[in-house]
Amino acid sequence: MQRLIGFVVMVILGAAGLGVWWINQPLALRAPVVDLSIEPGTSARGVAQDAVDAGVATSPQLLYWWFRLSGESRQIKAGSYELQGEVSPRSLLSKLVRGEEALRAVTLVEGLSFKQFRQVLQKAEQLTQDTQGLGADVIMQKLERPGLAPEGRFYPDTYTYTKGSSDLAVLKRALHAMDKHLASAWQTRSSNSPLKSPDELLTLASIIEKETGLASDRPMIASVFTNRLRIGMMLQTDPTVIYGLGDKFDGNLRRRDLLADTPWNTYTRAGLPPTPIAMPGKAALLAAAQPATSKALYFVAKGDGSSQFSETLDAHNRAVAKYQLGR
């Protein structure tokens, strides 16, 4: 009897040892990279089967019993996972419990238009293109902002996403991020700001973003436009004209373009244009809210990225002659 008990104990210990060895051994993968997608509500047995179906070469029953015996089967998180290299049953379960999903990233930079934003998203790796073929108005409806122009409404930043995510999900995050940053900037605006609403601040920030060549010039560029708005002077900024031309702009801004009236032509129309012209970043938003204190009404590019600021038209003309005409 004692021999039988001893034999049983040895078998149990041997099985336990074999099990410990197995959960730490690399599993064979049927491809260099195995994509494992787990839907919400999938049982531990279903997760094990999904792993095998995805390309993990092992027994689904063994995986299932390991999940169960570990005591962590109920902590497995749904998501999109990427398996590569040496993946053991232990490390696989750990990845699934911690929810270490396969992430990708897309960077939307300051100064892009909504059209350019969409082009960047279309090239993003493993991002589902749910907005392909949709007009801007339909996209804004899907984002629960019907009737709102999309320009300027998305915050430029780097956004991570899981493989197979929708471009709409990225746009929604960027939209909410801009809501947050715009509200914050509006709360810090100068007490004598001529801006009447957060939307006006957003539009001015977009112009500042497009006009700024040197980051340190932003507050002064904001000051010029703020001073002009305060006295009712035309903004006369080329980027708004270019935006209004749309696809007609060929890279060369001509005098006739400055005279061609569009809602965004600040040479023919007073005040701010009806919508932003680009996606401003945080620095541009803050510059629009808190411009430098100055009497400057003009600026001209020096050719090195910076600008020369002037309070009078005569001083501005001299700066233009010096930096633009080479005299």
Side-chain angles (χ1 to χ4, degrees):
M1 186 66 177
Q2 290 181 344
R3 289 182 179 179
L4 180 59
I5 294 175
F7 175 74
V8 172
V9 170
M10 288 180 63
V11 169
I12 293 174
L13 291 175
L18 184 62
V20 171
W21 173 84
W22 177 78
I23 65 174
N24 289 289
Q25 291 302 300
L27 295 166
L29 303 179
R30 297 192 182 95
V33 178
V34 169
D35 292 319
L36 172 58
S37 180
I38 299 176
E39 297 297 325
T42 304
S43 66
R45 188 184 297 276
V47 171
Q49 188 62 57
D50 286 343
V52 173
D53 293 342
V56 178
T58 189
S59 165
Q61 287 77 19
L62 282 177
L63 270 184
Y64 166 64
W65 281 109
W66 157 235
F67 293 162
R68 286 290 303 276
L69 293 174
S70 71
E72 297 182 315
S73 62
R74 295 183 180 274
Q75 299 176 39
I76 293 175
K77 296 177 175 62
S80 177
Y81 299 90
E82 191 174 88
L83 311 179
Q84 57 184 321
E86 294 191 352
V87 181
S88 68
R90 183 187 293 276
S91 65
L92 172 60
L93 178 60
S94 178
K95 179 187 286 286
L96 300 181
V97 168
R98 291 199 299 266
E100 295 178 356
E101 296 185 73
L103 297 178
R104 297 292 185 269
V106 60
T107 299
L108 306 173
V109 301
E110 297 90 342
L112 293 183
S113 66
F114 180 63
K115 179 180 179 180
Q116 292 169 324
F117 256 37
R118 294 187 66 183
Q119 291 171 348
V120 173
L121 292 177
Q122 287 168 6
K123 297 177 182 178
E125 181 185 7
Q126 300 287 340
L127 188 64
T128 302
Q129 303 298 318
D130 287 332
T131 66
Q132 191 165 6
L134 299 182
D137 54 341
V138 176
I139 292 174
M140 296 309 288
Q141 286 179 2
K142 289 183 174 294
L143 294 173
E144 300 178 351
R145 301 291 175 89
L148 183 67
E151 201 64 76
R153 297 293 172 176
F154 302 90
Y155 189 69
D157 203 348
T158 296
Y159 296 93
T160 57
Y161 58 91
T162 57
K163 295 168 66 174
S165 294
S166 169
D167 56 352
L168 271 172
V170 175
L171 283 172
K172 180 173 288 188
R173 289 170 57 196
L175 177 67
H176 291 165
M178 182 59 84
D179 289 343
K180 177 181 177 181
H181 285 282
L182 178 58
S184 177
W186 179 249
Q187 291 301 316
T188 67
R189 70 191 184 281
S190 300
S191 59
N192 63 344
S193 173
L195 302 175
K196 299 180 179 63
S197 67
D199 284 359
E200 288 193 354
L201 189 150
L202 183 64
T203 299
L204 178 57
S206 73
I207 296 173
I208 295 168
E209 190 70 74
K210 296 299 290 184
E211 282 281 19
T212 302
L214 187 67
S216 58
D217 281 347
R218 277 197 188 94
M220 278 299 297
I221 290 174
S223 180
V224 168
F225 291 128
T226 299
N227 290 339
R228 288 189 172 199
L229 287 172
R230 190 175 287 120
I231 65 175
M233 182 178 175
M234 292 280 201
L235 294 184
Q236 295 185 323
T237 169
D238 293 353
T240 62
V241 178
I242 293 171
Y243 182 83
L245 291 173
D247 294 335
K248 296 179 182 178
F249 180 62
D250 61 4
N252 186 19
L253 191 63
R254 302 170 179 84
R255 181 172 179 79
R256 67 170 182 266
D257 297 326
L258 301 180
L259 300 175
D261 183 52
T262 74
W264 291 271
N265 189 334
T266 52
Y267 284 83
T268 61
R269 301 197 183 194
L272 291 164
T275 71
I277 60 171
M279 313 298 176
K282 182 177 181 180
L285 289 168
L286 292 178
Q290 305 171 41
T293 301
S294 80
K295 295 181 180 179
L297 291 172
Y298 308 91
F299 65 94
V300 62
K302 290 183 177 181
D304 61 358
S306 64
S307 298
Q308 177 67 39
F309 299 90
S310 305
E311 294 182 10
T312 67
L313 182 57
D314 286 344
H316 175 62
N317 288 337
R318 289 194 296 271
V320 170
K322 178 178 179 180
Y323 295 110
Q324 296 291 308
L325 303 180
R327 297 199 302 269

